[in-house]
Amino acid sequence: MSARTVTIVTVDQGEITIPEPAWCVGHHWQPRPYLADITHNSVRVKAGAMTAEHGWVSILVARISHAPYAMVLPQPYPVVSVEVDMVAELAAEDVPKVSQGLRVAAMRLEKVAAEAIRLRGES
């Protein structure tokens, strides 16, 4: 973990300064959180497919994540946060494009997981 820190104003603890991993994109999306809700997130990795009928269809969004003050069971950190979602009626001609998007999604997800495992060794 890097020597970088961030100061956040929380609802329950007031202003706190905490260590921030080098891979964290910041906390602008977390205005005035509770301490337990503070989460370090990496950049989002996306995968999808361009279809003729629906345009861009998102299949996967993943990121490295760590909520150091969350009240959860102990587990290795950081974790990989994954959103897999696609609901569509597809023209048969679009199915190969979506299939390729699924293969790309799998490869990207595996790379994010490998990076999370590598980062665990740097803690």
Side-chain angles (χ1 to χ4, degrees):
M1 197 169 274
S2 75
R4 194 167 95 166
T5 62
V6 63
T7 300
I8 300 173
V9 178
T10 64
V11 173
D12 53 341
Q13 301 292 316
E15 185 175 287
I16 61 166
T17 300
I18 60 172
E20 183 174 58
W23 50 264
C24 181
V25 296
H27 298 271
H28 56 281
W29 59 277
Q30 281 188 297
R32 225 169 135 70
Y34 286 91
L35 180 66
D37 295 330
I38 293 173
T39 305
H40 301 296
N41 285 326
S42 72
V43 296
R44 294 182 303 164
V45 174
K46 302 176 188 178
M50 182 59 74
T51 65
E53 189 172 347
H54 301 287
W56 177 258
V57 179
S58 178
I59 297 173
L60 169 90
V61 177
R63 67 175 56 92
I64 295 171
S65 185
H66 181 203
Y69 305 103
M71 302 299 211
V72 295
L73 296 174
Q75 60 179 299
Y77 288 101
V79 297
V80 178
S81 174
V82 181
E83 301 169 27
V84 179
D85 186 32
M86 187 184 140
V87 177
E89 297 290 326
L90 298 170
E93 295 78 13
D94 283 333
V95 172
K97 296 172 189 169
V98 171
S99 295
Q100 178 60 30
L102 288 166
R103 287 189 288 278
V104 169
M107 289 186 301
R108 291 183 180 166
L109 187 57
E110 289 169 2
K111 287 182 180 180
V112 172
E115 179 64 6
I117 291 167
R118 185 190 72 76
L119 289 168
R120 288 180 190 166
E122 293 180 2
S123 302

